[in-house]
């Protein structure tokens, strides 16, 4: 049985949508489900919003340990890369039968592991790495998030100013500066 399921990948790959779908599925199956997000994500206070526009009320937390304060069967967590603390809490709760659906960016815009994502990927039972459509060449191979405003390794809020790029286009942008002009959303 999988108790820790992680959806990861670059910006705009649909990972939030995946946990929203699970949120609804688990509710239908009669489970007590709660949605969580980091306090720092101020796109929509208290809501998790997929790009498709569906809103789900979310509890805002700073640290992973705070999950223990909330009683549920299923815990859905968005933007996991921005949470502080230790994933041991999730491992312990999963061992006790709690189920987790987690979405988060695997890499910063400088292609480094993002926050606690490497830790959660190590203890996950199931990992789904999703790809996006490359904002430059429109291939389905988008694997990197690139911040147009320069370095931004710590905070990602929404997708404004970010591009999702394939490996080739990321290389072009960072080393050769030959990208076509892109209108960022
Ligand atoms: Zn590309």
């Amino acid at each position: 049985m999988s108790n820790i399921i992680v959806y990861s990948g670059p910006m705009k790959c649909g990972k939030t949508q995946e946990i929203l779908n699970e949120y609804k599925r688990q509710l239908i199956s009669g489970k007590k489900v709660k949605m969580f997000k980091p306090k720092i994500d101020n796109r929509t206070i208290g809501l998790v919003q997929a790009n498709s526009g569906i809103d789900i009320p979310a509890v805002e937390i700073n640290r992973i340990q705070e999950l223990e304060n909330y009683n549920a069967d299923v815990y859905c967590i968005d933007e996991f890369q921005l949470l502080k603390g230790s994933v041991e809490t999730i491992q312990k709760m999963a061992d006790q039968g709690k189920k987790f659906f987690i979405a988060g960016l695997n890499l910063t815009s400088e292609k480094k592991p993002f926050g606690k994502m490497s830790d959660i990927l190590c203890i996950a039972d199931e990992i789904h790495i999703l790809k996006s459509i490359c904002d430059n060449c429109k291939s389905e191979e988008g694997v990197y998030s690139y911040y147009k405003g320069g370095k931004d390794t710590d905070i990602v809020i929404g997708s404004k100013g970010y591009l999702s790029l394939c490996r080739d286009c990321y290389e072009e942008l960072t080393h050769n500066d030959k990208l076509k002009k892109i209108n960022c959303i």
Side-chain angles (χ1 to χ4, degrees), residues 134 137 139 166 169:
C134 174
C137 71
S139 73
C166 69
C169 291

PDB file of all heavy atoms in Angstrom, residues 134 137 139 166 169, ligand 1:
ATOM      1  N   CYS A 134       7.390  22.932 -22.904  1.00  0.00           N
ATOM      2  CA  CYS A 134       8.467  23.932 -22.890  1.00  0.00           C
ATOM      3  C   CYS A 134       7.914  25.262 -23.418  1.00  0.00           C
ATOM      4  O   CYS A 134       7.309  25.299 -24.483  1.00  0.00           O
ATOM      5  CB  CYS A 134       9.633  23.470 -23.748  1.00  0.00           C
ATOM      6  SG  CYS A 134      10.909  24.723 -23.916  1.00  0.00           S
ATOM      7  N   CYS A 137      10.157  26.049 -27.031  1.00  0.00           N
ATOM      8  CA  CYS A 137      10.054  25.266 -28.271  1.00  0.00           C
ATOM      9  C   CYS A 137       8.754  24.470 -28.357  1.00  0.00           C
ATOM     10  O   CYS A 137       8.481  23.828 -29.366  1.00  0.00           O
ATOM     11  CB  CYS A 137      11.252  24.330 -28.402  1.00  0.00           C
ATOM     12  SG  CYS A 137      11.228  22.965 -27.218  1.00  0.00           S
ATOM     13  N   SER A 139       7.912  21.770 -27.001  1.00  0.00           N
ATOM     14  CA  SER A 139       8.013  20.311 -26.893  1.00  0.00           C
ATOM     15  C   SER A 139       7.390  19.898 -25.555  1.00  0.00           C
ATOM     16  O   SER A 139       7.145  20.739 -24.685  1.00  0.00           O
ATOM     17  CB  SER A 139       9.479  19.871 -26.916  1.00  0.00           C
ATOM     18  OG  SER A 139      10.109  20.203 -25.688  1.00  0.00           O
ATOM     19  N   CYS A 166      12.661  22.961 -21.553  1.00  0.00           N
ATOM     20  CA  CYS A 166      13.310  21.667 -21.758  1.00  0.00           C
ATOM     21  C   CYS A 166      14.820  21.855 -21.541  1.00  0.00           C
ATOM     22  O   CYS A 166      15.295  22.986 -21.410  1.00  0.00           O
ATOM     23  CB  CYS A 166      13.011  21.127 -23.147  1.00  0.00           C
ATOM     24  SG  CYS A 166      13.800  22.054 -24.470  1.00  0.00           S
ATOM     25  N   CYS A 169      16.527  24.140 -24.295  1.00  0.00           N
ATOM     26  CA  CYS A 169      16.187  25.565 -24.231  1.00  0.00           C
ATOM     27  C   CYS A 169      16.786  26.200 -22.979  1.00  0.00           C
ATOM     28  O   CYS A 169      17.191  27.360 -23.008  1.00  0.00           O
ATOM     29  CB  CYS A 169      14.675  25.756 -24.281  1.00  0.00           C
ATOM     30  SG  CYS A 169      13.979  25.331 -25.893  1.00  0.00           S
TER      31      CYS A 169
HETATM   32 ZN1  LIG B   1      12.411  23.685 -25.374  1.00  0.00          ZN
END
